């Protein structure tokens, strides 16, 4: 899936205002790897939608929370994006 299509689909799940792209993702860089998108799901239903999309497209997902970087090893295929809480 190309990046633009991925971003549109993520925005359809959580709303455009809850998806960061491009330079806005730089704050979420780990080991010089900038994610394609950073997503703020907000609730379990939206998180489930994101995970279903990731699974169907064979994309890697990395959690991010508590204002610290999580382990990011293991990204083997697809786009890398991070899930963050809204609060």
């Amino acid at each position: 899936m190309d990046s633009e299509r991925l971003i549109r689909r993520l925005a359809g799940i959580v709303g455009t205002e809850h998806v960061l792209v491009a330079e806005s993702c730089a704050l979420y860089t780990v080991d010089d790897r900038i994610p394609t998108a950073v997503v703020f799901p907000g609730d379990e239903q939206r998180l489930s939608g994101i995970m279903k999309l990731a699974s169907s497209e064979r994309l890697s997902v990395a959690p991010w929370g508590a204002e610290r970087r999580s382990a990011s090893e293991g990204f083997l295929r697809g786009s890398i994006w991070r899930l963050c809480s809204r609060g």
Side-chain angles (χ1 to χ4, degrees):
M1 173 182 301
D2 66 71
S3 295
E4 289 182 26
R5 184 169 174 237
L6 170 64
I7 292 163
R8 281 194 307 271
R9 295 206 41 206
L10 289 169
I13 295 169
V14 300
T16 304
E17 65 276 15
H18 301 296
V19 179
L20 300 179
V21 297
E23 294 84 27
S24 299
C25 296
L27 293 173
Y28 300 91
T29 299
V30 174
D31 298 331
D32 295 325
R33 299 184 76 177
I34 299 173
T36 301
V38 176
V39 184
F40 300 85
D43 61 33
E44 290 177 16
Q45 182 178 357
R46 289 180 181 97
L47 177 59
S48 176
I50 292 165
M51 298 309 292
K52 287 176 184 175
L53 172 62
S55 177
S56 71
E57 297 296 330
R58 300 180 54 87
L59 299 171
S60 299
V61 177
W64 185 286
E67 294 190 29
R68 64 175 192 228
R69 295 176 182 182
S70 63
S72 65
E73 308 85 31
F75 293 123
L76 301 176
R77 64 188 187 288
S79 298
I80 300 168
W81 26 298
R82 310 223 186 279
L83 303 175
C84 305
S85 64
R86 287 189 193 173

